[in-house]
Each structure stands twice: as C-alpha cells, then as structure tokens.
Amino acid sequence: MTPASRTPPTGEDQRGSGALARGIHILQAFSAETPALSARELMAATGLPKPTLFRLVTTLCETGLLRYEETDGRFVPAPGLARLAEPLLARIPIRQLAFGQMQALADKVCGQVSLSLGLRLDLVYTELAQSRDCPTVRPAMGSHISLSRTASGRAYLSALPPDQAERYQRQLHARDAAHADWLQGRMIETRRDLAERGFCISRGDLHRQLEAVAAPLRTAANAEEVHVFTCTVPSFELKPGQLLDDVGPRLATLARSIEAALGALPSPDA
C-alpha cells in the first residue's frame, strides 16, 4: 500500500490501536524478576485505571496470553506468549548455527556462553550454552540485559548507530548522572578493546564473582538488529590472564566465524 492510498484512521481504528498499545504495555510489565503481578501492581506499573486494566487483562486471559492464579490473586504469563515468540526464534538461524561452538566453549572454560539480540535500546537473551560444572544461574530466555553494567550491554551499545547510543546515554544521565559518567568512561574502554582485541570485558560490574567477555556482530539479514556473543565465567574458575589471553580470543573467533557464515555488515563506524 502506497502512502497516497492510505485512508485516515477512523475513530474505531484509533480506539483499537490504543487498546492494543495498552495491552502490550501490560504484557511488558512482566519480567523474569516480576513473573506474577496482582491487579494493583499492574495498575502501578502501567498507570491504567482499574476499569480499563480489568477489561484488557480479561481479553489477554481469554486469548491465552495471561492466566489468573486464584491461589494468590495474581496474573502470570500464559503459554500463548511463548507461541508468539516462536516465529522470532525460528527466523534467527544464528542460534542453530552457533550453538555447537557455544557449548564447546562453555565446556572448555566451565562457564556460560550466551547469544543475545537487540533492537534499538532493548537487548534480550535468545540462546544459552552452559557447562555442566558451571554454578552460575541460567538467565531466562527473553529476559532483558543491562546495557550499562554488562559486557553484553556495552558491546551492544558500541554497535548501535551513534545517535541511538547517545540517546541512551542522555536517558541514563537524566536518571543517574554519576552512573552515566561511569558508563561514559567504560564505553571508551569498550570501543578501544573491541578495536584492538575484538571483544570487550566486564570484571564483576554486575555480579562481583562473575567476569565476562563479549563481542557484537551485525549480519546482512537485518541491518537494524545486533547480536552479541558473551562468555561469562566465575572468577574462581579463571587463572591469571586467562580472560584476556584465552577466553576473549576464543569468543572473538566464534563471533567472526559466525559472521563469515552468515554474511556480516560493516560496523556503524566503518
């Protein structure tokens, strides 16, 4: 449909799109940290009035996206949400292509190797390989990743177009100026490490006992999406210098091999 052939939205269309946006806002209130929410908590998270909230959650329950747990009076995501994610996961061939190498690296270093996918200022886990001997808690697939406190997040920010990365920095500065200043310094290190080593590092920035390396990649399949490979290892499993001299180069090699297989795009700075 060309712009000239579009008809202005009717009042009914506008009401429908508004309801859809509010319904999505409700679903976005749930996370790995808050997998169950009461009606009161949903009202606080979304700002929706009680009648509107109940009308929308009733529809979400009827369509299999939410479920009401009578035992504790809370709403929880239902299997219908997982079905909505299936088309996204199915169209990410990198998951199937990379998993064998991810698992081999995880076993080699007794850690986790994760794959995450980002769009604009949102970065989530899409695949994970973990050594049987690694005690680190497995993150839930689809859970959000901190853009400032993780190697994954900073690798992702480095791969974004400058205007998007700057927008995140401004938003963070408005919330926490000291943390934004800290991140600005870490991003200088991140970009330097990526240019010189092909990976960036995190030494306990999110969890004190975990160290990580990360490498971003962009493929020709979708220029707007950025994937990030990350290897996380408990600090007590690492020998001196192992993170920089062994784990990081292995992860960078994994990322570059997958880029070559998929067809990589040049970095935004290229």
Side-chain angles (χ1 to χ4, degrees):
M1 181 183 294
T2 63
S5 66
R6 294 192 184 114
T7 57
T10 64
E12 184 176 348
D13 291 333
Q14 291 174 329
R15 288 192 296 273
S17 62
L20 175 61
R22 290 191 292 270
I24 292 172
H25 192 34
I26 291 171
L27 295 176
Q28 289 174 332
F30 295 89
S31 69
E33 292 73 32
T34 55
L37 295 168
S38 67
R40 185 182 298 275
E41 289 168 333
L42 281 172
M43 283 189 287
T46 63
L48 294 172
K50 186 175 181 179
T52 301
L53 178 78
F54 273 91
R55 184 177 71 253
L56 291 171
V57 296
T58 297
T59 300
L60 292 171
C61 287
E62 289 174 349
T63 55
L65 301 180
L66 289 182
R67 186 177 73 247
Y68 181 68
E69 295 282 0
E70 294 187 3
T71 54
D72 61 2
R74 295 190 174 199
F75 294 92
V76 297
L81 268 181
R83 288 199 301 272
L84 289 180
E86 286 179 353
L88 169 64
L89 297 177
R91 74 165 183 82
I92 305 177
I94 188 174
R95 295 173 61 242
Q96 292 77 22
L97 187 63
F99 185 78
Q101 295 184 57
M102 292 169 62
Q103 187 64 60
L105 178 55
D107 292 338
K108 178 74 175 178
V109 301
C110 294
Q112 285 180 350
V113 179
S114 63
L115 174 66
S116 50
L117 172 63
L119 181 63
R120 292 186 287 275
L121 298 181
D122 199 15
L123 183 67
V124 300
Y125 289 105
T126 57
E127 189 59 272
L128 178 79
Q130 181 163 329
S131 166
R132 187 179 304 175
D133 300 324
C134 179
T136 305
V137 175
R138 294 176 65 91
M141 294 303 95
S143 59
H144 295 267
I145 300 171
S146 168
L147 297 187
S148 63
R149 296 187 182 277
T150 64
S152 307
R154 294 194 291 268
Y156 177 66
L157 286 172
S158 74
L160 288 179
D163 61 321
Q164 292 188 28
E166 290 167 6
R167 184 166 78 251
Y168 175 78
Q169 187 77 25
R170 289 195 301 270
Q171 292 173 355
L172 181 61
H173 194 276
R175 299 193 306 269
D176 187 339
H179 185 57
D181 291 341
W182 173 87
L183 175 61
Q184 190 169 20
R186 293 309 306 271
M187 288 304 300
I188 293 173
E189 297 175 8
T190 293
R191 293 189 175 95
R192 181 197 64 210
D193 287 343
L194 287 170
E196 295 178 356
R197 297 189 173 108
F199 61 89
C200 63
I201 66 173
S202 171
R203 294 188 181 275
D205 293 334
L206 186 62
H207 300 292
R208 285 185 298 174
Q209 294 186 335
L210 298 178
E211 301 189 20
V213 291
L217 64 90
R218 299 165 69 244
T219 71
N222 190 324
E224 292 186 347
E225 293 179 350
V226 178
H227 297 275
V228 181
F229 283 107
T230 306
C231 184
T232 303
V233 186
S235 55
F236 56 80
E237 294 282 2
L238 291 167
K239 299 174 183 177
Q242 185 181 0
L243 191 72
L244 292 179
D245 299 336
D246 180 54
V247 180
R250 288 180 185 273
L251 184 78
T253 298
L254 187 160
R256 299 295 81 80
S257 69
I258 298 302
E259 268 187 342
L262 292 174
L265 283 174
S267 68
D269 295 332

